[in-house]
């Protein structure tokens, strides 16, 4: 039986955990990361080739400061890893029902002097003729936003973390966590890990690892699809990442990159599943394709060609869709990171840094009180 000790142990080395492991190791903290799979992998929330990076948020703090810090850190990661991770195509947010749903984004842009451009329906159709929009539609282009490559990001963080001295144990399923007043003991099948401090960032797996707290988390199955397009009008780099909002429904998507098809997903909806269950593949539900094609037929009919590929992923969702980032209510040397609700990946770099600060220093430089546990009724 192997025994291992570190200053900091991280359970869950997907996106947030891997980034935090790198930033901890970079500052000289002896760090061990454990993951039930071998990241980057397809069993959680981080796969799928692309994620949107944007920075205008209705809830300005702490999201906008986190997004701006994330941009700086994504650029640093690209330089340190010699890898292209963020393609700044811009991200176009379209309000189908008119400009009212854009006001919060415009307010954030004014408050933080963010780089945005406002477009009328006519201006959208002139610049991006692939859209078909109603008369009242308007849009905002976040000009410094773009498209992240999640697998490349995690692989880069993994490589650099190892170079900084972090140790990663893939295919390590946690069987038990014992909390002590001055540390933790974590038992896997044939290995024991001890540490002074612990970060739990296991995505949907948090519902199993933290059962005693009864965190208000739902695990949702989400479907995304890649569709063939007519002509070149939906191709990168001329077509941006996009968000289309109608009422309370948000669709998000990505240009056709290298002929792979236009990718689109729906942020709301989906099917609730239990962590550990076999996730039904794309096409198991009629709405998997129907929901996506309905949006395409309505607003981008020339991108509603044949389905080239379908995929599923998991959202771990809180009731208010804000994250959970806080110290364990009973053990201040344990930090919890959960419930990233399908919009967390853009912040992986800045939250990885902030989580490292919380574990090592007890608090982060950016105020993240919005994410505290005490907004819910938590068992302790």
């Amino acid at each position: 039986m192997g025994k291992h000790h570190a200053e900091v142990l991280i359970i869950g080395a997907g996106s947030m955990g891997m980034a935090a492991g790198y930033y901890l190791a970079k500052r000289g903290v002896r760090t061990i990361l454990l993951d039930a799979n071998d990241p980057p992998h397809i069993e959680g929330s981080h796969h799928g080739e692309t994620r949107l990076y944007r920075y205008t948020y209705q809830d300005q703090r702490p999201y906008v400061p986190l997004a701006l810090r994330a941009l700086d850190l994504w650029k640093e990661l690209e330089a340190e890893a010699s890898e292209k991770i963020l393609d700044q195509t811009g991200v176009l947010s379209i309000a189908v029902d008119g400009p009212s749903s854009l006001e919060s984004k415009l307010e954030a842009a004014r408050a933080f002097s963010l780089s945005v451009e406002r477009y009328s329906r006519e201006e959208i159709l002139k610049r991006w003729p692939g859209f078909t929009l109603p008369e009242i539609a308007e849009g905002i282009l976040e000009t410094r936003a773009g498209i992240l490559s999640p697998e490349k990001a995690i692989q880069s963080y993994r490589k650099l973390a190892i170079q900084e001295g972090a140790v990663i144990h893939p295919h390590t399923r946690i069987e038990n966590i014992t909390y002590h007043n001055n540390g933790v003991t974590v038992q896997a099948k044939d290995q024991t890990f001890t540490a002074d401090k612990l970060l739990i960032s296991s995505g949907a797996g948090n519902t199993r690892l933290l059962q005693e707290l009864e965190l208000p988390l739902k695990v949702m199955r989400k479907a995304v699809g890649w569709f063939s397009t007519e002509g070149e009008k939906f191709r990168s780099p001329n077509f941006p990442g996009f968000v289309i909002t109608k009422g309370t429904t948000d669709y998000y998507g990505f240009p056709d990159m290298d002929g792979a098809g236009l990718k689109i997903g729906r942020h709301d909806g989906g099917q609730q599943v239990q962590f550990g269950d076999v996730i039904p593949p794309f096409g198991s539900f009629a709405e998997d394709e129907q929901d996506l094609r309905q949006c395409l037929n309505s607003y981008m009919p020339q991108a509603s060609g044949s389905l080239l590929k379908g995929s599923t992923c998991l959202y771990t969702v809180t009731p208010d869709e804000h994250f959970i980032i806080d110290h364990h209510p009973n053990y201040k040397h344990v930090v919890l990171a959960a419930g990233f609700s399908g919009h967390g990946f853009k912040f992986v770099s800045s939250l990885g840094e902030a989580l490292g600060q919380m574990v090592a220093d007890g608090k982060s430089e950016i105020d993240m009180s919005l994410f505290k546990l005490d907004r819910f009724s938590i068992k302790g």
Side-chain angles (χ1 to χ4, degrees):
M1 177 180 290
K3 293 185 177 181
H4 313 270
H5 181 76
E7 292 177 75
V8 173
L9 188 64
I10 296 175
I11 298 177
S15 50
M16 302 297 174
M18 191 69 79
Y22 164 65
Y23 290 110
L24 283 164
K26 187 177 181 181
R27 57 187 288 180
V29 177
R30 288 182 292 113
T31 305
I32 293 176
L33 299 96
L34 312 178
D35 198 272
N37 297 286
D38 191 5
H41 53 74
I42 63 170
E43 302 302 322
S45 301
H46 64 248
H47 67 284
E49 304 172 11
T50 49
R51 291 290 184 278
L52 292 180
Y53 166 77
R54 57 186 184 84
Y55 42 74
T56 60
Y57 258 78
Q58 175 179 347
D59 298 284
Q60 297 176 20
R61 294 188 181 276
Y63 288 114
V64 175
L66 281 170
L68 297 177
R69 180 58 179 159
L71 180 58
D72 292 339
L73 292 174
W74 287 128
K75 293 295 186 182
E76 286 185 15
L77 179 63
E78 287 184 323
E80 292 169 5
S82 300
E83 183 73 77
K84 182 68 173 177
I85 293 169
L86 174 62
D87 185 4
Q88 289 178 281
T89 61
V91 172
L92 178 66
S93 294
I94 297 176
V96 172
D97 297 329
S100 60
S101 64
L102 297 176
E103 285 305 318
S104 60
K105 295 182 178 182
L106 289 167
E107 184 179 334
R110 289 189 290 267
F112 288 89
S113 300
L114 303 176
S115 179
V116 302
E117 297 173 355
R118 189 168 185 173
Y119 284 78
S120 67
R121 171 185 178 271
E122 291 73 20
E123 290 168 332
I124 293 172
L125 299 184
K126 182 177 180 181
R127 182 166 177 181
W128 300 285
F131 287 109
T132 298
L133 299 172
E135 291 290 338
I136 59 174
E138 285 196 21
I140 293 175
L141 180 70
E142 299 173 58
T143 59
R144 300 183 68 207
I147 300 170
L148 290 161
S149 299
E151 287 91 350
K152 289 182 180 179
I154 293 170
Q155 189 60 53
S156 296
Y157 274 130
R158 178 173 179 161
K159 179 183 73 173
L160 293 172
I162 292 171
Q163 288 178 5
E164 295 288 351
V167 178
I168 300 173
H169 291 260
H171 304 297
T172 302
R173 180 176 172 82
I174 305 308
E175 295 182 348
N176 186 61
I177 303 173
T178 303
Y179 302 103
H180 314 293
N181 290 332
N182 58 351
V184 296
T185 300
V186 173
Q187 187 66 48
K189 181 178 180 181
D190 55 357
Q191 299 184 89
T192 300
F193 300 88
T194 59
D196 305 321
K197 299 179 180 180
L198 173 66
L199 168 63
I200 302 178
S201 57
S202 193
N206 287 326
T207 58
R208 178 179 72 89
L209 295 174
L210 297 166
Q211 289 183 46
E212 74 280 1
L213 296 182
E214 297 185 6
L215 298 179
L217 298 173
K218 291 194 301 184
V219 180
M220 303 296 297
R221 171 191 177 273
K222 299 287 186 172
V224 294
W226 287 254
F227 294 82
S228 62
T229 63
E230 296 179 21
E232 301 293 316
K233 58 177 67 73
F234 300 99
R235 293 286 179 94
S236 177
N238 296 321
F239 197 77
F242 60 88
V243 177
I244 298 176
T245 300
K246 179 173 177 57
T248 59
T249 297
D250 288 319
Y251 292 91
Y252 63 92
F254 306 84
D256 184 339
M257 304 173 76
D258 302 319
L262 181 140
K263 177 184 173 184
I264 186 170
R266 180 174 172 176
H267 178 70
D268 59 313
Q271 300 81 32
Q272 186 170 356
V273 297
Q274 298 299 315
F275 175 73
D277 288 354
V278 175
I279 305 303
F282 185 96
S284 299
F285 300 89
E287 58 263 35
D288 287 354
E289 182 175 347
Q290 288 175 359
D291 279 355
L292 307 180
R293 196 173 287 283
Q294 180 180 1
C295 177
L296 293 173
N297 288 340
S298 297
Y299 309 119
M300 291 177 284
Q302 291 175 299
S304 186
S306 59
L307 175 69
L308 301 177
K309 183 173 70 168
S311 181
T312 61
C313 68
L314 301 178
Y315 279 16
T316 309
V317 183
T318 66
D320 58 11
E321 294 197 8
H322 297 312
F323 314 147
I324 292 175
I325 299 175
D326 203 354
H327 296 272
H328 191 290
N330 301 324
Y331 304 100
K332 298 307 178 186
H333 55 288
V334 177
V335 173
L336 314 179
F340 292 100
S341 299
H343 67 112
F345 195 90
K346 65 180 71 65
F347 304 109
V348 160
S349 57
S350 56
L351 284 180
E353 179 185 59
L355 288 167
Q357 292 166 353
M358 287 182 67
V359 174
D361 305 328
K363 62 179 182 179
S364 59
E365 292 180 2
I366 293 176
D367 178 11
M368 297 196 293
S369 55
L370 178 66
F371 306 142
K372 290 179 70 64
L373 280 166
D374 60 12
R375 72 187 195 272
F376 304 119
S377 177
I378 300 295
K379 290 193 174 184

Coordinates of all heavy atoms in Angstrom, one line a residue, residues 249-284:
T249 N -34.4 31.7 -22.4 CA -33.6 30.6 -23.1 C -32.4 31.1 -23.7 O -32.4 32.1 -24.5 CB -34.5 29.9 -24.1 OG1 -35.6 29.2 -23.5 CG2 -33.7 28.8 -24.8
D250 N -31.2 30.5 -23.4 CA -29.9 30.9 -24.0 C -29.4 29.8 -24.8 O -29.2 28.7 -24.3 CB -28.9 31.3 -22.9 CG -29.2 32.6 -22.3 OD1 -29.6 33.6 -23.0 OD2 -29.1 32.7 -21.0
Y251 N -29.0 30.1 -26.1 CA -28.2 29.2 -26.9 C -26.8 29.8 -27.0 O -26.7 31.0 -27.0 CB -28.9 29.0 -28.3 CG -30.2 28.2 -28.3 CD1 -31.4 28.9 -28.2 CD2 -30.2 26.9 -28.4 CE1 -32.6 28.2 -28.2 CE2 -31.4 26.2 -28.4 CZ -32.6 26.8 -28.3 OH -33.8 26.2 -28.3
Y252 N -25.8 28.9 -27.1 CA -24.5 29.4 -27.3 C -23.8 28.6 -28.4 O -24.3 27.4 -28.7 CB -23.7 29.3 -26.0 CG -23.5 27.8 -25.6 CD1 -22.4 27.1 -26.0 CD2 -24.5 27.2 -24.8 CE1 -22.3 25.8 -25.6 CE2 -24.3 25.9 -24.4 CZ -23.2 25.2 -24.8 OH -23.1 23.8 -24.4
G253 N -22.8 29.2 -29.1 CA -22.3 28.4 -30.2 C -20.9 29.0 -30.7 O -20.5 30.0 -30.2
F254 N -20.4 28.3 -31.7 CA -19.1 28.5 -32.2 C -19.1 28.4 -33.7 O -19.8 27.6 -34.3 CB -18.1 27.5 -31.6 CG -18.2 27.4 -30.1 CD1 -19.1 26.6 -29.4 CD2 -17.3 28.1 -29.3 CE1 -19.2 26.5 -28.1 CE2 -17.3 28.0 -27.9 CZ -18.3 27.2 -27.3
P255 N -18.2 29.2 -34.3 CA -18.1 29.1 -35.8 C -17.7 27.7 -36.3 O -17.1 26.9 -35.5 CB -17.1 30.2 -36.1 CG -16.3 30.3 -34.9 CD -17.2 30.1 -33.8
D256 N -17.9 27.5 -37.5 CA -17.4 26.3 -38.2 C -15.9 26.5 -38.3 O -15.4 27.3 -39.0 CB -18.0 26.2 -39.6 CG -17.6 24.9 -40.3 OD1 -16.5 24.3 -40.0 OD2 -18.3 24.5 -41.2
M257 N -15.1 25.6 -37.6 CA -13.7 25.7 -37.5 C -13.1 24.5 -38.3 O -13.3 23.4 -37.9 CB -13.2 25.7 -36.0 CG -13.9 26.8 -35.2 SD -13.5 26.8 -33.5 CE -11.8 27.4 -33.5
D258 N -12.4 24.9 -39.4 CA -11.7 23.8 -40.2 C -12.7 22.8 -40.8 O -12.3 21.6 -40.9 CB -10.6 23.1 -39.4 CG -9.6 24.1 -38.8 OD1 -9.2 25.0 -39.6 OD2 -9.2 23.9 -37.7
G259 N -13.9 23.3 -41.1 CA -14.9 22.4 -41.7 C -15.5 21.4 -40.8 O -16.2 20.4 -41.2
A260 N -15.3 21.5 -39.4 CA -15.9 20.6 -38.5 C -17.4 20.8 -38.2 O -18.0 20.0 -37.6 CB -15.1 20.7 -37.1
G261 N -17.9 21.9 -38.7 CA -19.3 22.2 -38.5 C -19.5 23.3 -37.5 O -18.6 23.6 -36.6
L262 N -20.6 24.0 -37.5 CA -21.0 25.0 -36.5 C -21.5 24.2 -35.3 O -22.4 23.4 -35.4 CB -22.1 25.9 -37.1 CG -22.5 27.0 -36.1 CD1 -22.7 28.3 -36.9 CD2 -23.8 26.7 -35.4
K263 N -20.9 24.6 -34.1 CA -21.3 23.9 -32.9 C -22.3 24.8 -32.1 O -22.1 26.0 -32.0 CB -20.0 23.7 -32.0 CG -20.3 23.1 -30.7 CD -19.0 23.0 -29.9 CE -19.2 22.6 -28.4 NZ -18.0 22.6 -27.6
I264 N -23.3 24.1 -31.6 CA -24.3 24.8 -30.8 C -24.8 24.0 -29.7 O -24.9 22.8 -29.7 CB -25.5 25.3 -31.7 CG1 -26.5 26.2 -31.0 CG2 -26.2 24.0 -32.4 CD1 -27.5 26.8 -31.9
G265 N -25.1 24.7 -28.5 CA -25.7 24.0 -27.4 C -26.7 25.0 -26.7 O -26.8 26.1 -27.1
R266 N -27.5 24.4 -25.8 CA -28.5 25.2 -25.1 C -28.1 25.2 -23.6 O -27.9 24.1 -23.0 CB -29.9 24.5 -25.3 CG -31.0 25.3 -24.6 CD -32.4 24.7 -24.9 NE -33.4 25.3 -24.0 CZ -34.7 25.1 -24.1 NH1 -35.2 24.2 -25.0 NH2 -35.6 25.6 -23.3
H267 N -28.1 26.4 -23.1 CA -27.6 26.5 -21.7 C -28.6 26.0 -20.7 O -28.3 25.4 -19.7 CB -27.3 28.0 -21.4 CG -26.8 28.2 -20.0 ND1 -25.6 27.8 -19.5 CD2 -27.4 28.8 -18.9 CE1 -25.5 28.1 -18.3 NE2 -26.6 28.8 -17.9
D268 N -29.9 26.3 -20.9 CA -30.9 25.8 -20.0 C -31.4 24.5 -20.4 O -31.0 23.9 -21.4 CB -32.1 26.9 -19.9 CG -32.7 27.1 -21.2 OD1 -32.0 27.3 -22.2 OD2 -34.0 27.1 -21.3
G269 N -32.3 23.9 -19.7 CA -32.9 22.6 -20.0 C -32.0 21.5 -19.7 O -31.1 21.6 -18.9
G270 N -32.1 20.4 -20.4 CA -31.3 19.2 -20.2 C -32.1 18.2 -19.2 O -33.2 18.4 -18.8
Q271 N -31.4 17.1 -18.9 CA -32.0 16.1 -18.1 C -31.2 15.9 -16.8 O -30.0 15.8 -16.9 CB -32.1 14.7 -18.8 CG -32.9 14.7 -20.1 CD -32.2 15.3 -21.3 OE1 -30.9 15.2 -21.4 NE2 -32.9 15.9 -22.2
Q272 N -31.9 15.8 -15.7 CA -31.1 15.6 -14.4 C -30.7 14.1 -14.3 O -31.5 13.2 -14.7 CB -32.0 16.0 -13.2 CG -31.2 15.9 -11.9 CD -32.0 16.5 -10.7 OE1 -33.1 17.0 -10.9 NE2 -31.4 16.4 -9.5
V273 N -29.5 13.9 -13.9 CA -28.9 12.6 -13.8 C -28.3 12.5 -12.4 O -28.1 13.4 -11.7 CB -27.9 12.2 -14.9 CG1 -28.6 12.3 -16.3 CG2 -26.7 13.2 -14.9
Q274 N -27.9 11.2 -12.1 CA -27.2 11.0 -10.8 C -25.8 10.7 -11.1 O -25.5 10.0 -12.1 CB -27.8 9.8 -10.1 CG -29.2 10.0 -9.6 CD -29.4 11.2 -8.7 OE1 -28.6 11.3 -7.7 NE2 -30.4 12.0 -8.9
F275 N -24.9 11.3 -10.4 CA -23.4 11.1 -10.6 C -23.1 9.6 -10.5 O -23.6 8.9 -9.5 CB -22.6 11.9 -9.6 CG -21.1 11.6 -9.7 CD1 -20.4 12.1 -10.8 CD2 -20.5 10.8 -8.8 CE1 -19.1 11.8 -10.9 CE2 -19.1 10.5 -8.9 CZ -18.4 11.0 -10.0
G276 N -22.4 9.1 -11.4 CA -22.0 7.7 -11.4 C -22.9 6.9 -12.4 O -22.5 5.7 -12.7
D277 N -24.1 7.4 -12.8 CA -24.9 6.7 -13.7 C -24.3 6.7 -15.1 O -23.5 7.6 -15.4 CB -26.3 7.3 -13.8 CG -27.1 7.1 -12.6 OD1 -26.7 6.3 -11.7 OD2 -28.2 7.7 -12.5
V278 N -24.6 5.8 -15.9 CA -24.2 5.8 -17.3 C -25.0 6.9 -18.0 O -26.3 7.0 -17.9 CB -24.5 4.5 -18.0 CG1 -24.2 4.6 -19.5 CG2 -23.7 3.4 -17.4
I279 N -24.3 7.9 -18.6 CA -25.0 9.0 -19.3 C -25.5 8.6 -20.6 O -24.7 8.2 -21.5 CB -24.0 10.2 -19.3 CG1 -23.5 10.6 -17.9 CG2 -24.8 11.4 -19.9 CD1 -24.5 10.8 -16.9
P280 N -26.8 8.8 -20.9 CA -27.3 8.4 -22.3 C -26.5 9.2 -23.3 O -26.4 10.4 -23.2 CB -28.7 8.8 -22.2 CG -29.1 8.7 -20.7 CD -27.8 9.2 -20.0
P281 N -26.1 8.6 -24.4 CA -25.4 9.3 -25.5 C -26.3 10.3 -26.2 O -27.5 10.2 -26.1 CB -24.9 8.2 -26.4 CG -25.8 7.1 -26.2 CD -26.3 7.2 -24.7
F282 N -25.7 11.2 -27.0 CA -26.4 12.1 -27.8 C -27.4 11.4 -28.7 O -27.0 10.4 -29.3 CB -25.5 13.0 -28.7 CG -26.1 14.0 -29.5 CD1 -26.2 15.3 -29.0 CD2 -26.7 13.8 -30.7 CE1 -26.8 16.3 -29.7 CE2 -27.3 14.8 -31.4 CZ -27.4 16.0 -30.9
G283 N -28.6 11.8 -28.8 CA -29.6 11.2 -29.6 C -30.5 10.3 -28.8 O -31.5 9.8 -29.4
S284 N -30.2 10.1 -27.6 CA -31.1 9.2 -26.7 C -32.4 9.9 -26.5 O -33.4 9.2 -26.2 CB -30.4 8.9 -25.4 OG -29.2 8.2 -25.6

